[in-house]
Amino acid sequence: MQSRSPASRTGRPRSATADAAILAATREALVELGWSKLTLGDVATRAGVAKTTLYRRWAGKNELVVDAVAELFDALELPDRGSLAADIEGVVLQFATILALPEAKSGLMAVVAEATRDDALRERIRASVVDRQKRLVLEGRARAQARGELPAEPDPDSSARTVDLIFDMVAGAVVHRTLVSAEPADEEWVRGFTRVLLHGLSD
């Protein structure tokens, strides 16, 4: 069954306060109940809203959990530590810290598994998590170019491919390290990863 986006529905205007309460309640339920036992009814009770309020906003549990987890990643900021390497290390450490949260860990792995059978859900993950967080790559690259650490890339197609590649390398490595291998992405690992990212294996 294809997922439906709540953005296409009509009705009363959405309440930012209610949305925030619902997403926070979803993360709380993920920690206490786990993915399999989480229900929209339980989330509604925790958030203090009617169950119909959730269904006006989200088609089901999958979409709700994507948005609840995506909100965690919106807290990511690219620190200005004076160099591209230090900036990367700072944001990767933040990313790893978020991925280590029980609600992020269980929620992200569950919706990615569900997305293998649901194209619309996969697109929602891309839009809500991947595309939104590419802002960090764009900001970091622009800052490094202004410092003279990276060359300008005037061709927009080439520039977009570079952004995609950088994001995939960073996100893929950190997600695999923390969620698949279940190993810590500590400062030593992050320094080594950043060195390979910037200079390759031969340096």
Side-chain angles (χ1 to χ4, degrees):
M1 179 180 295
Q2 294 293 305
S3 306
R4 293 170 291 144
S5 170
S8 63
R9 300 178 192 178
T10 59
R12 286 178 290 179
R14 293 179 65 152
S15 163
T17 301
D19 282 359
I22 291 166
L23 295 177
T26 302
R27 292 190 293 269
E28 179 184 283
L30 275 169
V31 173
E32 293 185 16
L33 303 176
W35 165 263
S36 62
K37 294 182 180 179
L38 184 149
T39 66
L40 266 63
D42 181 76
V43 171
T45 300
R46 290 169 185 264
V49 300
K51 190 174 178 179
T52 53
T53 301
L54 271 71
Y55 279 110
R56 282 198 297 268
R57 290 160 163 77
W58 292 276
K61 183 167 73 171
N62 293 347
E63 294 86 346
L64 176 59
V65 171
V66 169
D67 287 0
V69 172
E71 191 174 58
L72 293 173
F73 296 121
D74 287 340
L76 284 168
E77 294 181 353
L78 184 70
D80 189 347
R81 293 181 162 190
S83 71
L84 176 59
D87 291 354
I88 292 172
E89 289 173 10
V91 76
V92 168
L93 285 168
Q94 288 180 54
F95 184 36
T97 298
I98 291 173
L99 285 175
L101 295 172
E103 58 268 42
K105 189 184 304 181
S106 60
L108 188 60
M109 293 189 77
V111 294
V112 168
E114 291 294 318
T116 62
R117 301 185 295 271
D118 188 333
D119 291 342
L121 180 60
R122 189 181 305 118
E123 180 56 37
R124 190 185 191 94
I125 294 170
R126 183 183 296 113
S128 298
V129 180
V130 176
D131 290 347
R132 280 204 327 232
Q133 299 315 320
K134 282 181 182 177
R135 63 186 171 83
L136 298 166
V137 178
L138 292 167
E139 181 183 348
R141 186 178 62 169
R143 185 187 293 166
Q145 288 171 339
R147 290 179 183 140
E149 296 175 289
L150 290 178
E153 206 165 355
D155 178 67
D157 291 336
S158 175
S159 176
R161 286 193 297 270
T162 299
V163 170
D164 287 346
L165 180 60
I166 294 170
F167 184 89
D168 289 346
M169 291 173 69
V170 173
V174 181
V175 168
H176 188 280
R177 175 74 177 178
T178 57
L179 300 187
V180 180
S181 297
E183 296 286 349
D186 53 20
E187 291 189 7
E188 181 180 1
W189 183 87
V190 171
R191 282 195 298 271
F193 166 72
T194 301
R195 185 173 59 253
V196 171
L197 177 68
L198 293 179
H199 305 294
L201 294 173
S202 60
D203 191 14

